[in-house]
Amino acid sequence: MTQAIKIDNLKYNYNDDQVLFDGFNLEIDSGQWVALVGHNGSGKSTLAKLILGLIAANSGNIDVFGERLTVDTVHHVREQIGMVFQNPDNQFVGATVADDVAFGLENKQTPSIEMPRMIDEALSIVGMLDFKDREPHMLSGGQKQRVALASVLALQPKIIILDEAMAMLDPDGRATIMRTLQDLKSRFGRDITLVTITHDMDEAILADRVVVINDGQLILDGTPASVFSQYDIIHHNGLELPFAGELVEKLDTKPKSYLDERELIQWLSHLNK
Ligand code: ADP
């Protein structure tokens, strides 16, 4: 299986008296949806910055699709990664939704004849094509984040990292982004790798894999159901169980087969009806 991201023996500290990562390892397979969870200050955003080469590790290696991240490769590596950040308002540059998606394509020197099709395609994937002539600032939070996602998708990244991208959204906005991410997974399959960074366990439910970090250390790593069932460790690391995790907790007395991820999602969708 191709590895999208391989972090090997990473060491990083912002200052001499605080080592954040020391001997940190993480491998993410191509096509996986990984929720990177941890309370504030646990090192999630720093990890994203290291993967993007915005900051350099003290030691250790980061490989993206087998390419070692160095000063020489950083631009090529970055081209393969799209980022969506917390505050949708900070990500808009265009006067209309379509202008906004066009911006990244222009930067990439996409031939102008190809741009309208690429813009429409990206907007239709996130269900925002009907909004293409709207002013971005007039949209709801969830719509804004879908446009931010379209701007990233238009550049055809292999990896998308969403750093607390749902943190400022209301429950409806959050639900539309979760649904959009699910759609992306079914549409692109192994061609897209998703990393959703969050302090909110509820956003981890639909991921293939949940990685919990605390103070730069990997605490738990597994399917949502297997991670949620470790509620003692989750509480101990300052995190709240998601609603689904509470369900798992309640159902823990039943056979373990009830705790698999597919059933967890089925319960959830049933409950949401
Ligand atoms: P998270 O994304 O999980 O909230 P961060 O990666 O932002 O965590 O932060 C991890 C740790 O590194 C925290 O202790 C934070 O205070 C520290 N930190 C983050 N950015 C900087 C910086 N620019 N300079 C110094 N320390 C930082």
Side-chain angles (χ1 to χ4, degrees):
M1 193 172 286
T2 322
Q3 267 168 348
I5 300 171
K6 181 170 188 218
I7 300 173
D8 182 35
N9 207 10
L10 178 84
K11 187 165 182 179
Y12 184 78
N13 55 307
Y14 282 105
N15 41 51
D16 291 343
D17 52 350
Q18 188 208 15
V19 176
L20 183 54
F21 291 105
D22 192 5
F24 184 86
N25 300 304
L26 182 66
E27 294 176 20
I28 296 177
D29 287 331
S30 167
Q32 240 178 9
W33 176 357
V34 175
L36 185 62
V37 191
H39 69 72
N40 283 335
S42 55
K44 307 177 302 290
S45 295
T46 304
L47 206 54
K49 286 183 195 147
L50 286 160
I51 294 167
L52 284 165
L54 295 172
I55 51 177
N58 299 41
S59 62
N61 293 313
I62 297 176
D63 297 326
V64 175
F65 290 103
E67 186 174 18
R68 177 76 29 100
L69 183 64
T70 66
V71 279
D72 296 325
T73 62
V74 66
H75 287 293
H76 185 246
V77 165
R78 244 181 247 167
E79 270 175 13
Q80 301 176 64
I81 306 175
M83 284 290 301
V84 180
F85 296 97
Q86 184 175 65
N87 189 342
D89 289 318
N90 292 346
Q91 298 173 67
F92 291 122
V93 283
T96 66
V97 163
D99 284 351
D100 213 81
V101 181
F103 183 76
L105 290 170
E106 279 159 8
N107 273 348
K108 224 180 146 189
Q109 272 141 24
T110 307
S112 48
I113 194 159
E114 288 177 26
M115 287 203 350
R117 181 188 56 79
M118 293 171 89
I119 293 166
D120 285 5
E121 195 178 325
L123 285 171
S124 91
I125 291 172
V126 300
M128 288 298 289
L129 187 57
D130 291 344
F131 295 78
K132 78 186 231 191
D133 299 319
R134 299 276 190 95
E135 214 255 287
H137 292 284
M138 302 302 283
L139 303 176
S140 72
Q143 290 169 336
K144 285 175 183 172
Q145 285 302 55
R146 280 193 280 156
V147 173
L149 199 51
S151 299
V152 159
L153 278 172
L155 305 174
Q156 298 175 318
K158 291 190 191 154
I159 300 170
I160 302 180
I161 302 177
L162 296 101
D163 190 354
E164 298 282 3
M166 290 170 261
M168 294 177 74
L169 306 183
D170 61 18
D172 278 355
R174 197 168 295 192
T176 58
I177 295 297
M178 289 296 272
R179 271 198 297 274
T180 307
L181 295 178
Q182 263 186 304
D183 289 349
L184 278 187
K185 287 302 301 167
S186 38
R187 187 181 181 110
F188 291 104
R190 306 217 68 79
D191 293 334
I192 203 118
T193 304
L194 292 178
V195 180
T196 44
I197 294 177
T198 177
H199 65 278
D200 185 345
M201 289 291 248
D202 278 305
E203 291 171 19
I205 287 162
L206 298 177
D208 301 317
R209 177 179 167 198
V210 180
V211 173
V212 181
I213 65 168
N214 192 9
D215 291 334
Q217 297 203 15
L218 199 147
I219 306 294
L220 290 169
D221 182 358
T223 60
S226 73
V227 166
F228 296 158
S229 62
Q230 305 278 328
Y231 43 87
D232 286 345
I233 300 175
I234 289 170
H235 288 314
H236 184 71
N237 284 280
L239 293 163
E240 296 292 324
L241 271 178
F243 183 49
E246 281 165 20
L247 275 178
V248 170
E249 195 171 345
K250 286 197 189 98
L251 293 164
D252 210 18
T253 50
K254 294 188 177 175
K256 283 284 177 196
S257 59
Y258 281 102
L259 299 180
D260 80 33
E261 190 184 345
R262 184 190 297 249
E263 280 172 321
L264 189 67
I265 291 166
Q266 276 172 0
W267 288 330
L268 266 182
S269 57
H270 185 67
L271 283 168
N272 285 339
K273 270 178 196 151

